[in-house]
Amino acid sequence: MDVTDFPDDLVQTQAAWDATYQALAAPRPRDTTALRRRLLLLSVRLWWHPYWETVPSAPAARSELRQLARGRRAVQAA
């Protein structure tokens, strides 16, 4: 699967999910309730995104999306 197949909003949602998860996993996170609620909202958006109905292997595509979002975050941090 080509990474350009993912819609921008899906990639952005995955990146936001990763950032929220990292904020929640940090030592002594502030406002954990808001972070958990945001993580839940983003999880629902990721899981039920219409894109998943168009791919033959959603589990493989989900894995590729996570790798893509993490790779972009690493590039932005550098």
Side-chain angles (χ1 to χ4, degrees), residues 33-66:
T33 301
L35 288 172
R36 288 175 189 217
R37 286 179 180 160
R38 178 161 171 74
L39 195 62
L40 181 59
L41 173 71
L42 293 168
S43 295
V44 169
R45 287 182 183 168
L46 283 169
W47 187 261
W48 295 107
H49 195 281
Y51 174 76
W52 302 122
E53 295 176 12
T54 67
V55 295
S57 177
R62 287 179 196 275
S63 178
E64 187 173 343
L65 175 64
R66 285 190 297 272

